[in-house]
Structure formats: structure tokens, C-alpha cells
Amino acid sequence: YRELRQFDGTVNNNVLAQKSAHIMGGFTWDFYMKRLGDKKFRFIMEAYYKRLWDLVSYEIENVRIRYSGENDATGYIAGIDLRLNGEFVPGAESWFNLSFLRARESLNDVTHLQREIGQTEAQEVEDVPRPTDQFMNLSIFFQDYLRNNRNVKMHLNLTVGTGLPYGLRDNNRVYRNTYRFSPYHRVDIGFSVLLWDESRRERKLKHPLRFTKRTWLSLEVFNMMKVQNQAANTWIKTIFNQQFAIPNYLTSRRVNLRLKMDF
């Protein structure tokens, strides 16, 4: 229903289903690192291309998605995903993800223009960024444990991504999605302790957690570096019809204590 509703609130019953044709391919390579023992590692690469037509264009306003309510755009999405995972530490799997993406669109009957910073004249372009056009995203997840006690574990998560595009409110057609948010980055860290495992039942008959199969206690710190990552803008308009973007930020550092029981 939201895709049928136009900006003025009317419902367009003639909207067609959005269509796409896509092709993708990839390969998987299993190999061993002699320095890390006989554990197998896996490298995966996938590339894809998707052609889009009869698109219902949309804009993101703060946390709300506003659809045009018309089949008014064509576009394409292309990208490549790279992943490496394996046990860099025996018994603890870790992985690295690296992705590149290009998501573009072109509004029907609109001549899109682009002007770089410092240029006085705009140049005509064939397509413009879609709201999901994030060029690069890197994710790293690493696990480790104490050398003499595998029941005490640590995990570290790193995420880095380039900023998403956005445009001026109510004036985002010709110069479309010409601005970008600041790059996204955060680091999470966590520590886990195995409080109980059913293999201990014969040795500890009166343990208070004996009614569970396994019990973990974990402490996690999200956004450890307390980075202010921008999520959206709130637009403020003055009496002179000038607009200013007030950034909205995601949550700051958070600490989470969790007790997990398996029955």
C-alpha cells in the first residue's frame, strides 16, 4: 500500500509491479594455512548485476520511507562480495567480509545534473545514486579464548562502511541524492564465561545450574569507541525558505549483560 500512495496522499491503483533481471556468479576455495595447523579455511567470492525497471522511486525522510507512487524510474545494482572465514584460533571461528556496491537509478523524463564542490556549472549525468548506494562495507569478527581455559572467550567485531546518499527535502529530483552521510564505523567487544556444561553433571551433582544443558554469562560493549554515527537528518526550514539539515545520531556506547541457558 505504501508504494501505491503518492506524496500528496492519493492512491495510484495503476502502479505496476517492479521488475528486475539479474545475473550472478561466484566460486568457493577451501585451503589450508600451514602456520595455523591443519584447519581448513574458506574463501568465497560472489559478483552480481541486477537490471531494474518499472521502479517506484523513494526517498528516506528521517526514519520514514516516502514512495513516489508511480513507476517513474529505471536503474541497476552491481557489486561484489568477498568473505574469508576459518579457525584462526583452533576451535573459534572468525571471518572477514568485504563488499563493494553500486546502486544507481534514473527518473523518467528528468535530466539529472551533478555539480562538484567548487564547480560553477553543472554537468548532465545518466544516473544518480539510489538511497542504498553504499560503495564499501567491511566487517571483521574475531574470536579467541584463554590458552589454559577455553571456557573464557572473547570476541571482537569491527564494522566500517562508506556513507549513504541523501538529497534536499522536497527538491530531490534534478540534483538527486548529491550528499552523503559521514562514514559509518564502530567496534564491539564481548567476553563470555561458561558457567555450566552437562559434562560436569557427574562431578557436581548439586550445582545450581544442573537443570540446564549449558549456561553462558556474557558481557558485551557495543560501540566501544563511542562513535557518533549519523542515521538521518531532520530538516528545518526558515521563514526565508532556507533548509538546514540537523543530523540524527545512532545510539552511543551500550553495555549488555546476558545470561544464556540451553535446555
Side-chain angles (χ1 to χ4, degrees), residues 147-260:
R147 176 176 296 181
N148 298 323
N149 187 357
R150 293 195 176 190
N151 296 329
V152 181
K153 295 185 176 182
M154 180 277 297
H155 69 268
L156 184 67
N157 183 56
L158 168 67
T159 303
V160 178
T162 54
L164 292 170
Y166 68 94
L168 295 176
R169 181 181 178 182
D170 300 326
N171 187 19
N172 193 29
R173 292 184 63 81
V174 177
Y175 293 92
R176 187 170 178 81
N177 296 331
T178 55
Y179 306 99
R180 287 186 180 269
F181 296 127
S182 302
Y184 176 92
H185 58 290
R186 62 179 279 181
V187 178
D188 305 326
I189 191 170
F191 303 91
S192 302
V193 179
L194 181 63
L195 300 179
W196 170 256
D197 186 82
E198 60 181 353
S199 61
R200 308 176 185 175
R201 187 164 290 150
E202 295 182 0
R203 294 181 287 110
K204 298 182 179 181
L205 300 177
K206 296 183 180 182
H207 196 281
L209 296 174
R210 62 185 181 279
F211 61 93
T212 67
K213 290 184 178 180
R214 190 176 294 106
T215 301
W216 285 91
L217 179 66
S218 61
L219 176 67
E220 296 173 290
V221 181
F222 301 111
N223 196 6
M224 182 175 61
M225 307 303 294
K226 207 175 181 179
V227 178
Q228 285 188 314
N229 289 304
Q230 188 174 353
N233 287 320
T234 296
W235 292 94
I236 304 297
K237 183 177 289 188
T238 68
I239 59 175
F240 303 105
N241 205 32
Q242 294 177 317
Q243 293 193 94
F244 294 91
I246 307 301
N248 299 322
Y249 297 104
L250 296 171
T251 54
S252 184
R253 182 188 299 130
R254 290 291 183 270
V255 178
N256 181 52
L257 181 64
R258 181 176 63 175
L259 181 66
K260 180 183 177 182

Side-chain angles (χ1 to χ4, degrees), residues 49 58 115 119 256-257:
Y49 176 83
Y58 68 93
R115 182 170 52 221
Q119 292 182 342
N256 181 52
L257 181 64

Side-chain angles (χ1 to χ4, degrees), residues 48 80-83 95-102 132-140 157-164 183-186:
Y48 54 89
I80 184 170
D81 294 330
L82 308 172
R83 179 182 178 93
W95 46 260
F96 298 81
N97 270 1
L98 179 61
S99 300
F100 296 96
L101 173 71
R102 183 176 174 87
T132 55
D133 183 46
Q134 187 176 35
F135 172 70
M136 187 276 295
N137 190 75
L138 171 67
S139 298
I140 299 176
N157 183 56
L158 168 67
T159 303
V160 178
T162 54
L164 292 170
Y184 176 92
H185 58 290
R186 62 179 279 181

